[in-house]
Amino acid sequence: MNCKVIDKVTLQRLSDIVGEKYVLTLDDDKAPYAKDETLNLSCMPAAVAKPATTAEVSVIMKLASTEKIPVTPRGAGTGLSGGAVPVCGGIVLSLERFDKILEIDPDNLMAVAQPAVITNNLQLAAEAKGLFYPPDPASLESCSIGGNIAENAGGPRAFKYGVTRHYLCGLEVVWPSGEVSRLGGKTIKNVSGYDLMHLLCGSEGTLAVITEITLRLLPKPPLSVDLLIPFPSIADAVRASTAIVQHRIIPATMEFMERKAVLAAEAFLEKKAPFREAEAHLLVQLDGDDQASLVAEYEKIGKIVSDYNALDVLVAEDRPARDRIWEMRRCMSDALTANSPMREREDVVVPRAAIPELFRRLQELSHKHSVEIISYGHIGDGNVHINVMKQEMAVEDWERMLPVLLDGLFRDVVALGGTISGEHGIGYVKKRFLPLAVDPAALAMMKKIKAAFDPDGILNPGKIFL
Ligand SMILES: Cc1cc2nc3c(=O)[nH]c(=O)nc-3n(C[C@H](O)[C@H](O)[C@H](O)COP(=O)(O)OP(=O)(O)OC[C@H]3O[C@@H](n4cnc5c(N)ncnc54)[C@H](O)[C@@H]3O)c2cc1C
């Protein structure tokens, strides 16, 4: 779309709507809103507006739709696919003042929150009432619930508890036209008409602005225990994880780290990792209501994994021991950044049984392009975080090599029955690859949906589709 320059009259109208203090127009003030956590992507908006009420969002959207001004909704800016970057300029609509938890409702097992509430704060508020909001993106201390809905965020607990979508029960939204709707509410069931609410979940801020969210909660399992299990090969770790499930044990999390990832964490933390010689580590968390069942489960796991050449099973029951074994996994992103400040992070997903073959293909890609690839992720649901490390490679070689490598990687992933993003979304950076993962008829249908919701193409333009 053509990027419309915002004139003084429009800027004044924005100030009239939200107050002068909440419209940013100076470059220094706008700079933090020009980017998210995506590498090498930045675009200055004409203005940043910070509304505090749904009514203000509605008037801004009416203004934008009359004047045909691009609007990019923004949560906490932790996105990894450029979703909150205003690639067509216009207005960044920062929801940061929508930061209140409105209700934790133990009778209905529901939480009602504004979109800028930080995910961890919602989890803590639920826990204070003995309740549990399971979705746990690794960024949970800095990302917002609104961004989680827009991206349908997942995390380690997705294997047992599902992703953000599975907890979404109600939304208040402002459509691109400025009209306001409430979808769903505090009911688990709702089949009244098309399920627009769940269509918005994962729509990356391209169909509506989210201004209020109702989420399902669970009772908090009181006990949990962590196991660190080293294996001599990735294939052994994958087969053992499948065997655990086949024995009817569903861990809360089943994470894995390949050896290169463990060594990077070791260098970053400056401490020796346990079982550093192992090619793969499984990190299993069990949760439940009574100690005896948990002990029975982990003893059973001990027997199962020994059939798959496990080198040991480290059981951590108290907080310090558990923190020690999660420390490596939690620092992984920082450890890899320390290893190579420039790196490409992908979050492909394949059927779990295809993980060994994915790793074989990653090795081929690494040799073919003479570049280090380091991976870790959620073995339970087949979601692998693949990091292509620039390290000492010259910038021009990196820029020439990366698109070719990614094209090969994504084709491999799709051939294995997977898809190109399990968590981070398509956003701006992956849109050229979307046709590899979605067939032409489905892609055409998605574009028609976008046009039906946003006929003028003003809401988060330049995202998802080429
Ligand atoms: C270190 C690190 C670890 C991460 N780990 C995970 C992980 O484990 N799992 C995972 O899923 N993701 C992960 N992420 C990615 C990111 O944190 C998630 O995508 C998160 O959901 C983004 O939330 P946000 O509030 O930062 O959204 P933003 O980055 O601000 O925006 C993301 C998208 O949502 C849209 N949006 C935001 N708020 C609204 C709203 N109110 N209405 C409409 N659209 C809106 C934006 O337009 C944009 O398209 C990680 C990121 C980092 C930096």
Side-chain angles (χ1 to χ4, degrees), residues 73 75-80 83 137-139 144 147-148 150-151 153-154 204-205 208 210 423 460:
T78 68
L80 292 172
S139 50
S144 75
N148 292 173
E151 296 287 353
E204 306 190 38
I210 298 160
E423 290 183 338
N460 212 351

Side-chain angles (χ1 to χ4, degrees), residues 75 162 190 254 272 365 371 377 461:
N190 184 343
M254 238 189 331
K272 284 258 170 298
L365 286 171
V371 68

Side-chain angles (χ1 to χ4, degrees), residues 155-199:
R157 287 199 283 249
F159 174 57
K160 178 171 183 176
Y161 291 104
V163 295
T164 303
R165 170 172 287 129
H166 301 116
Y167 295 85
L168 178 59
C169 289
L171 285 180
E172 179 191 73
V173 298
V174 180
W175 303 115
S177 63
E179 289 167 294
V180 179
S181 287
R182 293 191 80 88
L183 306 168
K186 285 186 182 176
T187 62
I188 302 282
K189 294 179 178 171
N190 184 343
V191 289
S192 311
Y194 291 145
D195 190 352
L196 297 183
M197 179 179 70
H198 285 107
L199 178 58

Side-chain angles (χ1 to χ4, degrees), residues 4 9-10 16 111 114 179 193 218:
K4 185 174 164 117
V9 178
T10 307
D16 294 343
Q114 293 187 315
E179 289 167 294
L218 300 177

